[in-house]
Amino acid sequence: MNEKSNISKKDKPLTILITGGSSGIGYQAVLKLISLGHNIILPCKNISRANQVLTNIFNQSSFELSKKGKIYTPIMDLSDLNSIDFLCSELKIKRVKIDVLILNAGLQYTGSKMPRMSTQGIELTFAVNHLSHFYLTQRILPLIDKNNDPKIIITSSEVHNPNSGGGKVGAQASLGNLKGLESGAGFEMVDGNKFNADKAYKDSKLCNIFFARKLSNKLISKKLSIPVIAWAPGLVISRDNQGFFRHSRKYNQLGQILFAFLARDVLRITTSNKNAGLLLSNLASLCKYRKTGFNYYSNKIISSGKFIFEETDISKEAQRVDLSDKLWDLSQSLIDKILR
């Protein structure tokens, strides 16, 4: 089946809200989706970033103007729950209908010895990668058009799995008994241990899987046919100073350069932002990814420079229903306490 026949059967283009769409994988997905005629809501952290993104997109000469979808770049800071609240209220007032919600933003600052905190005093990796997306989804869900091929897509990572290649390196992902989250705002790690920036990222990607599975179950219980897709793009290292590793470079620039050269240019175990962005745009727009319920896909390396994108098993810990339930309840409780 070719790409055109896989695009939504309806004449109406999709309206897609995507976080983390101003750079890296998300930006490449946005370019592709706009070229297919879909309309994009791309929240940006501030007006300067929004203007830069719009300039970059409008300068893309490869697009045929007749096929371009519309783009809207409102302001939303994922490190501030109040900012999320403000945007969602604005979208509700405008009666915006959303077909696909893509939770793609991800923060990593590996190399830092000290935790950074969100506006509400939550460790920043957990706040941006999980808690903000958890809250955003709840606020956006009433705006999702149930009649136009809806989907919710969450960008996770294979590092959530200690048995994966990246998951084996360094401290392994594990939420323990959620002792840190249970203690309320101010915790350094979800499991209650001392801060480890690399593990904080891995744990947040495990949270993404738990959230996706629990969300899917809740939607099914409400008889809502909205697929929830979690996916892993593989190791993506861009050649510029942007993209996913831009924060980590501040803490170990030489190490990051050496790692990038070895992984990308010697071993060829990385993929590009453009290729990963294409995978994400396909998840959002193609018919074959409309399977009801929870599904997890991974862009797996099969040999040097060669990948296969396929449905994949999640880690053993990610399959624990008790932890999934507890993470959901504690996340909700923390938000309620912060915003009351």
Side-chain angles (χ1 to χ4, degrees):
M1 188 178 289
N2 62 37
E3 184 174 296
K4 285 186 177 180
S5 62
N6 270 311
I7 296 173
S8 175
K9 295 177 182 178
K10 300 180 183 288
D11 293 330
K12 175 186 173 185
L14 297 171
T15 296
I16 301 168
L17 190 153
I18 178 171
T19 67
S22 63
S23 65
I25 295 170
Y27 179 72
Q28 292 299 324
V30 166
L31 293 181
K32 181 63 177 177
L33 289 166
I34 291 176
S35 76
L36 293 172
H38 300 301
N39 301 317
I40 304 296
I41 302 173
L42 197 171
C44 296
K45 187 174 183 178
N46 51 54
I47 190 67
S48 174
R49 189 64 171 166
N51 288 338
Q52 185 61 58
V53 170
L54 287 174
T55 299
N56 291 343
I57 289 174
F58 292 146
N59 285 339
Q60 294 292 320
S61 59
S62 61
F63 293 151
E64 296 179 27
L65 292 177
S66 61
K67 291 185 178 180
K68 287 183 70 171
K70 298 177 182 177
I71 183 163
Y72 169 45
T73 54
I75 306 305
M76 183 182 76
D77 184 350
L78 282 172
S79 68
D80 184 354
L81 293 175
N82 290 317
S83 179
I84 296 170
D85 205 36
F86 182 84
L87 174 60
C88 292
S89 296
E90 180 183 308
L91 294 176
K92 182 178 180 180
I93 291 171
K94 291 182 176 181
R95 299 181 182 275
V96 173
K97 283 294 184 182
I98 293 167
D99 302 307
V100 180
L101 173 62
I102 302 178
L103 308 173
N104 172 70
L107 174 72
Q108 181 188 54
Y109 54 103
T110 297
S112 174
K113 302 299 182 184
M114 299 296 294
R116 296 165 60 188
M117 296 294 175
S118 72
T119 302
Q120 282 78 33
I122 310 298
E123 191 279 313
L124 201 57
T125 315
F126 179 84
V128 170
N129 296 3
H130 168 68
L131 196 66
S132 290
H133 282 145
F134 177 87
Y135 184 54
L136 176 64
T137 303
Q138 292 183 334
R139 292 299 315 274
I140 290 294
L141 200 55
L143 307 181
I144 290 182
D145 189 344
K146 315 302 189 298
N147 300 312
N148 197 36
D149 305 325
K151 289 177 191 167
I152 298 174
I153 302 168
I154 304 172
T155 301
S156 183
S157 171
E158 276 289 274
V159 299
H160 89 274
N161 188 346
N163 292 323
S164 69
K168 294 177 182 177
V169 180
Q172 298 180 350
S174 177
L175 304 188
N177 63 0
L178 298 169
K179 183 178 178 181
L181 179 57
E182 202 166 28
S183 68
F187 64 88
E188 294 188 0
M189 296 289 289
V190 178
D191 61 9
N193 291 320
K194 289 293 184 182
F195 182 68
N196 179 314
D198 179 53
K199 185 177 184 298
Y201 174 73
K202 292 174 182 174
D203 287 351
S204 74
K205 297 292 100 179
L206 179 55
C207 288
N208 291 156
I209 304 292
F210 277 130
F211 169 54
R213 292 185 71 227
K214 181 68 176 180
L215 175 62
S216 176
N217 290 338
K218 282 183 170 288
L219 293 172
I220 290 172
S221 70
K222 295 178 181 178
K223 301 188 183 327
L224 294 174
S225 182
I226 304 177
V228 179
I229 301 168
W231 76 295
L235 182 58
V236 182
I237 303 179
S238 61
R239 293 187 179 276
D240 55 28
N241 291 323
Q242 298 301 310
F244 178 68
F245 288 98
R246 63 187 182 280
H247 299 290
S248 299
R249 291 191 190 98
K250 299 176 183 178
Y251 301 99
N252 184 11
Q253 189 169 11
L254 179 59
Q256 289 283 351
I257 291 172
L258 291 174
F259 173 69
F261 174 72
L262 180 63
R264 184 185 59 218
D265 303 317
V266 178
L267 298 177
R268 297 176 63 217
I269 58 174
T270 70
T271 189
S272 67
N273 281 317
K274 186 173 183 179
N275 288 339
L278 178 59
L279 293 176
L280 180 52
S281 67
N282 286 344
L283 287 173
S285 62
L286 301 191
C287 292
K288 66 180 180 179
Y289 296 115
R290 290 192 199 138
K291 292 167 59 179
T292 302
F294 167 79
N295 294 281
Y296 175 65
Y297 297 89
S298 180
N299 191 27
K300 290 182 174 180
I301 185 164
I302 53 177
S303 63
S304 180
K306 293 184 179 180
F307 295 81
I308 183 171
F309 190 60
E310 61 183 6
E311 199 164 352
T312 306
D313 292 332
I314 56 177
S315 72
K316 287 185 178 181
E317 182 168 340
Q319 297 175 38
R320 287 182 53 183
V321 176
D322 60 327
L323 271 184
S324 175
D325 292 344
K326 190 173 183 181
L327 175 65
W328 184 285
D329 292 342
L330 289 175
S331 297
Q332 186 62 61
S333 176
L334 182 58
I335 289 173
D336 290 344
K337 288 176 182 177
I338 289 171
L339 297 182
R340 68 184 175 189

